[in-house]
């Protein structure tokens, strides 16, 4: 079942998600629903459970037709710097160049409960940082410089006012 994606202003996006203690059928169904919601979205490549209103530590993504889910993921190491024009399904139409570490080492559980470690950089590294932030109630706005945030808030309000206007060209959105 596809869910409605929660957008900026919804308190669930600012709350801490809780760890999954048992990977059961309920978790598997939730992962399926998250993929369905992701594929229904306009150009999203990843989704975190709080974005569908579920305060659980689950992230799903599909980059290069390789769908994967990670449970209780954490960034254990990060290195380098990379600027990328980030977008978010929960902050529709806004894209901002955000500086973050480039490489990350992420640890979590796969859907079978096996511990996995993933090294990623560039788009995939950014996706993990963005999605894991969602699990901790952190949004793109919180990763901007004060000046960027001020401008982005103004832009976002304007974008919402003109939401009925024709959509701009499609661009990747992290989640
Ligand atoms: Zn997002």
């Amino acid at each position: 079942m596809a869910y409605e994606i929660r957008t900026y202003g919804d308190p669930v996006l600012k709350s801490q998600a809780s760890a999954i203690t048992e990977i059961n059928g309920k978790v598997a169904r939730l992962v399926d629903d998250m993929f369905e919601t992701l594929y229904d979205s306009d150009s999203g490549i990843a989704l975190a459970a709080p974005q569908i209103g579920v305060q659980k530590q689950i992230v799903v993504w599909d980059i290069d037709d390789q769908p994967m889910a990670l449970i209780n993921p954490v960034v254990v190491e990060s290195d380098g710097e990379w600027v990328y024009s980030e977008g978010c399904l929960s902050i529709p139409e806004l894209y901002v160049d955000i500086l973050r570490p480039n490489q990350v080492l992420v640890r979590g559980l796969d859907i079978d409960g096996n511990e996995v470690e993933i090294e990623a950089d560039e788009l995939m590294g950014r996706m993990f940082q963005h999605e894991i932030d969602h699990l901790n109630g952190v949004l793109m706005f919180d990763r901007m410089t004060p000046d960027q945030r001020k401008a982005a808030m103004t832009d976002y309000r304007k974008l919402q006012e003109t939401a009925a206007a024709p959509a701009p060209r499609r661009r990747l959105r992290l989640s």
Side-chain angles (χ1 to χ4, degrees), residues 51 87-91 130-131 134 139-140 174-175:
Q51 294 184 278
C88 178
L89 289 171
S90 295
I91 310 174
H130 181 110
E131 301 312 323
H134 273 304
L139 296 174
M140 263 166 57
L174 294 177
S175 80

Side-chain angles (χ1 to χ4, degrees), residues 140-154:
M140 263 166 57
F141 289 123
D142 305 310
R143 298 297 186 189
M144 296 174 194
T145 65
D147 283 350
Q148 277 184 314
R149 190 177 310 122
K150 219 168 136 185
M153 288 287 185
T154 307

Side-chain angles (χ1 to χ4, degrees), residues 15-21 49-50 54-58 71-72 135:
S15 60
Q16 173 68 45
S18 51
I20 302 276
T21 51
V54 177
Q55 289 168 291
K56 296 283 180 198
Q57 294 181 17
I58 307 176
I71 290 158
N72 303 339
L135 304 181

Side-chain angles (χ1 to χ4, degrees), residues 80-95:
E81 290 186 339
W82 194 51
V83 174
Y84 178 72
S85 178
E86 272 188 51
C88 178
L89 289 171
S90 295
I91 310 174
E93 310 304 339
L94 185 77
Y95 295 89

Side-chain angles (χ1 to χ4, degrees), residues 3-165:
Y3 283 71
E4 190 181 335
I5 294 177
R6 306 297 181 93
T7 54
Y8 181 68
D10 189 317
V12 73
L13 296 174
K14 296 297 282 178
S15 60
Q16 173 68 45
S18 51
I20 302 276
T21 51
E22 190 196 349
I23 300 175
N24 51 27
K26 216 173 144 186
V27 171
R29 261 197 310 281
L30 189 55
V31 166
D32 285 347
D33 288 345
M34 287 174 69
F35 274 115
E36 206 171 317
T37 306
L38 176 63
Y39 294 138
D40 260 16
S41 76
D42 176 25
S43 65
I45 59 171
L47 196 70
Q51 294 184 278
I52 58 165
V54 177
Q55 289 168 291
K56 296 283 180 198
Q57 294 181 17
I58 307 176
V59 165
V60 304
W61 69 93
D62 190 343
I63 295 176
D64 297 331
D65 291 323
Q66 289 184 300
M68 261 199 84
L70 208 54
I71 290 158
N72 303 339
V74 285
V75 174
V76 289
E77 276 173 40
S78 60
D79 197 17
E81 290 186 339
W82 194 51
V83 174
Y84 178 72
S85 178
E86 272 188 51
C88 178
L89 289 171
S90 295
I91 310 174
E93 310 304 339
L94 185 77
Y95 295 89
V96 177
D97 285 341
I98 297 177
L99 174 71
R100 298 194 195 229
N102 187 12
Q103 302 92 21
V104 288
L105 177 64
V106 173
R107 192 177 290 152
L109 301 173
D110 68 15
I111 195 69
D112 299 315
N114 304 307
E115 188 172 285
V116 289
E117 278 192 348
I118 303 173
E119 269 184 7
D121 64 1
E122 299 196 346
L123 178 63
M124 192 143 172
R126 183 60 59 105
M127 177 278 289
F128 281 125
Q129 294 175 73
H130 181 110
E131 301 312 323
I132 292 170
D133 270 357
H134 273 304
L135 304 181
N136 296 316
V138 173
L139 296 174
M140 263 166 57
F141 289 123
D142 305 310
R143 298 297 186 189
M144 296 174 194
T145 65
D147 283 350
Q148 277 184 314
R149 190 177 310 122
K150 219 168 136 185
M153 288 287 185
T154 307
D155 288 350
Y156 183 61
R157 273 188 220 106
K158 275 188 206 149
L159 285 166
Q160 295 318 291
E161 282 162 17
T162 55

